[in-house]
Amino acid sequence: LERKAWQDAKSIFKMASRLKDNCSLAWQGLGIACLKLSSFEEAEEALTQANIFDPINAETWAYICLLSLLDG
C-alpha cells in the first residue's frame, strides 16, 4: 500500500483473503486498494468483511465512512 501500486495491492490482498478468510487486515487491505481504484462495490464487500472479523478497528470504520461519502 505504501508504494501506491493499488492494482498489485488488490491482487495480493485478494490472495491473502482467500488463504485466510477470517483475517480482517487482509480484507481491510483489499478494501482500501479497491477504494483507491474506484471499485466501490468490491471495496464495500471487503470492508464489510473486515468489519465482521474486527468490529472495533477504527481504521476500517474510517474507510467505510469514506466509501459512503465517495459512493453515496
Side-chain angles (χ1 to χ4, degrees):
L1 292 176
E2 288 181 21
R3 290 187 309 140
K4 299 184 179 172
W6 304 118
Q7 191 61 48
D8 291 343
K10 179 181 174 181
S11 298
I12 291 167
F13 282 116
K14 190 176 277 192
M15 187 184 320
S17 66
R18 285 187 195 136
L19 292 173
K20 190 169 182 188
D21 67 345
N22 66 345
C23 179
S24 66
L25 293 178
W27 287 108
Q28 182 188 62
L30 178 58
I32 293 168
C34 290
L35 184 66
K36 297 292 187 174
L37 292 167
S38 298
S39 299
F40 296 133
E41 190 173 317
E42 272 187 280
E44 181 179 9
E45 292 172 14
L47 291 169
T48 298
Q49 287 298 316
N51 194 42
I52 288 169
F53 294 119
D54 187 1
I56 61 171
N57 185 322
E59 189 174 358
T60 298
W61 279 107
Y63 278 107
I64 290 171
C65 291
L66 179 60
L67 176 63
S68 294
L69 289 171
L70 292 173
D71 193 38

